[in-house]
Amino acid sequence: MSRLMGQMMQMPLMISSLLKHAARHCADTEIVSKRVEGDVHRYTYRDAELRARKLAQALARLGCQPGDRVGTLAWNGYRHFEIYYGTSGSELVCHTINPRLFPEQIAWIINDAEDRVLCFDLSFLPLVEKLAPGLSSVKHFVLMTDRAHMPAQTGIPGLLCYEELVEAEDGNYTWPEFDENTASSICYTSGTTGHPKGAVYSHRSTVLHAYASALPDAMGSSAQDVILPVVPMFHVNAWGLPYSGALVGAKLVLPGPHLDGKSLYELFESEKVTFSAGVPTVWLGLITYAKQNNLKFSTFKRTVIGGSACPPAMIRTLEDDFGVQVIHAWGMTELSPLGTLSKLKAKHLDLPPEAQRRILEKQGKVIYGIDMQITGDDGRPLPWDGQASGNLVVRGPWVIQSYFRRDESPLQDGWFPTGDVATIDPDGFMQITDRSKDVIKSGGEWISSIDLENIAMAHPAVHEAAAIACKHPKWDERPLLIVVRKPGQSLTREEMLAFYEGKIAKWQIPDDVVFVDEIPHTATGKIQKLKLREQFAAHVLPT
Ligand code: ADP
């Protein structure tokens, strides 16, 4: 039997097509950047596309060949945006590197990826000067600035100036078309255990992720939006916003290194930002600043919060005090990163607000393209009853199949094990209980550290809280709560513990509370549980 084939055009899904589309259909829509140099830069998608073409020409002139990796150590800004497109669009691979990692880790990652070119912001000149002698694959170092800001002296031989490279070209360049499965970019996982591993995205996976993430039940981006990604462009491609923003033709506002509450607030207001995205810790800073100064947002309407569990108290504050809708989302580097987002279904619209909130506090439903399951330790699927919790596994066209240059497959029966423990309710809303390594195992029962943190965060005197497992002679592990108080607030151990009563089962209430000035965060702004566990390894729980 001969198969009847579809008779549609074969057009590979190319990352360059996103920018070409924006440049043609939203040519005068702005991209506004707060520069490392301190000033504000503005131009349009039309300008960005032209400069990305010039950059592609410049990189070819430097000898880059298809497949070569171009590393970046850079904040969110228009030059970084041009590198995203100029590299991938010309069959090079954009490798964004998290500058908040330890220098040794950064060097390890650059050497593992064998970056041929390294582009970096002025802020990272001292770091790169230190690392350069150990970066044998890097043939060209490019400082992302203009001639006037180039250092008079530097230890980096042949340091190139980004603006000079770009402006030397004529832009007479046509974006090539090639296999949509070609690598487009690499992000490394933060490697809390062992060395970081590279997730290698393709043009196809990136464009599909951009399509899906822009849907109304996902981020719901549109050409009417002004999007400010607080999430860095070095943290899983700013959750795809530089791609989905171009796909819908939204104005982009890129905050550079200025991520404190005051700078962000001023940028939200001056650029009329409608939509944003970031990890919970950045919102802590912004909310504190806005509250202390009695400020409201005039245009800001909604934000995606993910990367770690968003405490329900934060959702309430943003919605009730600031009128900002929170879209709680879950994802990971290996998923490009979006997996689930929490938005109501039609059947939920008549529920009382409290019941709606409880749904929205979950990590949400998968977007079409991602398939998920929870499994028991025997690998068998568990029911979607909102009660059974198991290992969350996923698959889909923007989920990795293997890591960069690693032979062993991470997949189990074709599914990617996320390392997260979750429940799924009959409506498909997934809720993360914990990362499997953070769960607290007390007398054979699991206690969710996220649940304990969410309750603590609802206390008006708590700025931030972390729950970790503490060794216990009888129960194996018991929960220890670590709390940062809000400035000027008093809160005792007894008051904190009393706050748990009636909110969870008695045996789940932490055994002890420790007050600290600061909780350590990872390079992507998550609570560093491993470090806390080490720090409090010798903590003796009261009997
Ligand atoms: P890393 O693994 O390097 O920390 P990722 O950014 O890929 O970097 O982190 C993915 C992990 O972050 C997930 O596996 C999950 O444990 C956690 N995570 C992400 N979003 C959420 C969320 N909304 N709630 C709880 N945990 C989350």
Side-chain angles (χ1 to χ4, degrees):
M1 197 180 68
S2 70
R3 174 179 291 142
L4 178 63
M5 300 303 290
Q7 293 173 311
M8 309 309 284
M9 292 186 190
Q10 288 288 336
M11 291 186 67
L13 301 175
M14 294 277 99
I15 284 180
S16 57
S17 71
L18 298 170
L19 189 57
K20 272 201 302 196
H21 172 84
R24 181 167 304 150
H25 301 284
C26 298
D28 58 357
T29 299
E30 279 187 310
I31 299 175
V32 180
S33 310
K34 194 94 174 265
R35 283 201 271 215
V36 175
E37 293 89 331
D39 58 348
V40 171
H41 171 272
R42 5 176 44 98
Y43 72 170
T44 64
Y45 275 114
R46 185 196 290 115
D47 304 326
E49 197 262 345
L50 173 60
R51 285 188 26 116
R53 266 187 276 138
K54 290 183 176 183
L55 176 65
Q57 290 178 301
L59 290 168
R61 201 176 297 281
L62 289 179
C64 289
Q65 300 288 329
D68 278 353
R69 273 77 68 198
V70 175
T72 67
L73 279 165
W75 303 106
N76 293 6
Y78 67 105
R79 293 185 183 117
H80 205 177
F81 182 85
E82 292 162 6
I83 295 171
Y84 265 44
Y85 284 96
T87 54
S88 306
S90 64
E91 225 182 321
L92 304 176
V93 180
C94 182
H95 172 208
T96 51
I97 305 154
N98 188 335
R100 294 184 184 134
L101 295 170
F102 289 118
E104 306 74 50
Q105 271 180 312
I106 295 177
W108 189 92
I109 288 175
I110 294 173
N111 287 327
D112 189 64
E114 294 186 351
D115 292 337
R116 187 180 175 96
V117 177
L118 183 64
C119 302
F120 54 100
D121 271 338
L122 267 173
S123 344
F124 307 116
L125 180 60
L127 171 71
V128 177
E129 280 176 331
K130 206 163 75 188
L131 297 182
L135 306 177
S136 53
S137 64
V138 178
K139 299 289 173 266
H140 302 285
F141 292 89
V142 181
L143 188 55
M144 292 162 64
T145 191
D146 54 15
R147 177 46 55 190
H149 289 88
M150 289 295 284
Q153 277 202 320
T154 168
I156 304 173
L159 180 65
L160 296 167
C161 166
Y162 182 89
E163 287 302 322
E164 280 184 353
L165 283 180
V166 169
E167 286 314 326
E169 304 296 336
D170 60 9
N172 194 358
Y173 177 86
T174 308
W175 296 113
E177 272 195 9
F178 42 90
D179 185 338
E180 63 183 15
N181 291 302
T182 306
S184 59
S185 56
I186 302 191
C187 291
Y188 276 72
T189 61
S190 57
T192 35
T193 50
H195 277 307
K197 296 189 283 272
V200 187
Y201 311 125
S202 68
H203 284 258
R204 173 185 157 83
S205 71
T206 306
V207 173
L208 290 176
H209 179 267
Y211 257 123
S213 63
L215 286 169
D217 281 337
M219 291 193 178
S221 313
S222 93
Q224 294 177 12
D225 271 319
V226 179
I227 305 180
L228 188 152
V230 182
V231 53
M233 289 169 74
F234 55 76
H235 186 196
V236 217
N237 295 329
W239 302 350
L241 286 167
Y243 304 115
S244 57
L247 181 143
V248 300
K251 171 176 164 180
L252 293 177
V253 181
L254 306 172
H258 313 280
L259 300 176
D260 58 288
K262 180 172 190 290
S263 307
L264 283 177
Y265 178 82
E266 287 169 2
L267 206 53
F268 270 76
E269 286 301 296
S270 63
E271 296 303 327
K272 301 189 165 51
V273 171
T274 59
F275 174 46
S276 185
V279 296
T281 34
V282 301
W283 301 108
L284 277 183
L286 187 57
I287 291 170
T288 306
Y289 174 77
K291 283 206 157 167
Q292 276 169 352
N293 296 282
N294 212 5
L295 300 167
K296 298 277 182 233
F297 296 100
S298 20
T299 52
F300 183 28
K301 288 285 170 298
R302 64 190 205 286
T303 186
V304 170
I305 301 187
S308 44
C310 181
M314 182 176 282
I315 302 182
R316 269 165 210 262
T317 304
L318 280 165
E319 296 198 348
D320 297 348
D321 301 352
F322 295 100
V324 177
Q325 179 201 1
V326 173
I327 306 164
H328 191 193
W330 168 87
M332 54 197 308
T333 306
E334 288 88 339
L335 271 81
S336 312
L338 280 181
T340 65
L341 298 103
S342 214
K343 289 261 183 102
L344 297 178
K345 293 181 172 176
K347 70 189 238 187
H348 299 135
L349 297 179
D350 294 331
L351 291 176
E354 273 311 306
Q356 291 185 344
R357 279 200 151 138
R358 278 197 297 281
I359 297 170
L360 293 171
E361 285 164 5
K362 299 188 177 194
Q363 276 73 6
K365 300 177 274 138
V366 290
I367 338 172
Y368 166 77
I370 295 289
D371 196 4
M372 73 178 168
Q373 236 176 212
I374 42 172
T375 59
D377 287 336
D378 57 3
R380 289 232 291 271
L382 294 172
W384 291 23
D385 57 9
Q387 298 297 321
S389 77
N391 304 310
L392 180 67
V393 298
V394 293
R395 59 183 183 188
W398 58 83
V399 179
I400 64 153
Q401 175 157 313
S402 53
Y403 289 102
F404 184 58
R405 290 193 175 150
R406 301 275 180 122
D407 291 335
E408 68 283 16
S409 169
L411 305 191
Q412 294 168 358
D413 297 328
W415 294 80
F416 177 77
T418 65
D420 288 321
V421 180
T423 61
I424 306 177
D425 73 15
D427 287 318
F429 284 79
M430 185 273 285
Q431 181 160 30
I432 302 273
T433 326
D434 240 316
R435 284 196 115 165
S436 48
K437 51 185 179 288
D438 293 337
V439 79
I440 302 161
K441 295 175 198 105
S442 169
E445 299 277 356
W446 286 10
I447 302 175
S448 155
S449 66
I450 295 179
D451 280 353
L452 299 181
E453 288 156 11
N454 284 347
I455 294 174
M457 291 293 287
H459 192 287
V462 173
H463 175 70
E464 198 172 18
I468 56 164
C470 200
K471 282 277 159 240
H472 190 281
K474 178 164 174 207
W475 302 109
D476 187 21
E477 290 178 354
R478 287 293 302 156
L480 168 67
L481 187 73
I482 296 150
V483 171
V484 180
R485 295 188 195 96
K486 280 192 184 147
Q489 299 272 354
S490 72
L491 174 69
T492 63
R493 169 185 181 277
E494 287 66 34
E495 285 163 349
M496 184 74 256
L497 292 179
F499 191 67
Y500 279 92
E501 273 164 34
K503 299 192 174 79
I504 42 168
K506 257 200 153 48
W507 64 270
Q508 297 178 327
I509 297 178
D511 278 21
D512 205 2
V513 183
V514 179
F515 294 97
V516 295
D517 291 336
E518 212 180 333
I519 283 176
H521 290 102
T522 67
T524 50
K526 303 175 195 210
I527 293 176
Q528 237 174 345
K529 293 277 175 87
L530 191 67
K531 190 150 177 200
L532 282 177
R533 283 198 295 267
E534 283 166 10
Q535 199 176 329
F536 291 95
H539 185 83
V540 181
L541 295 168
T543 42

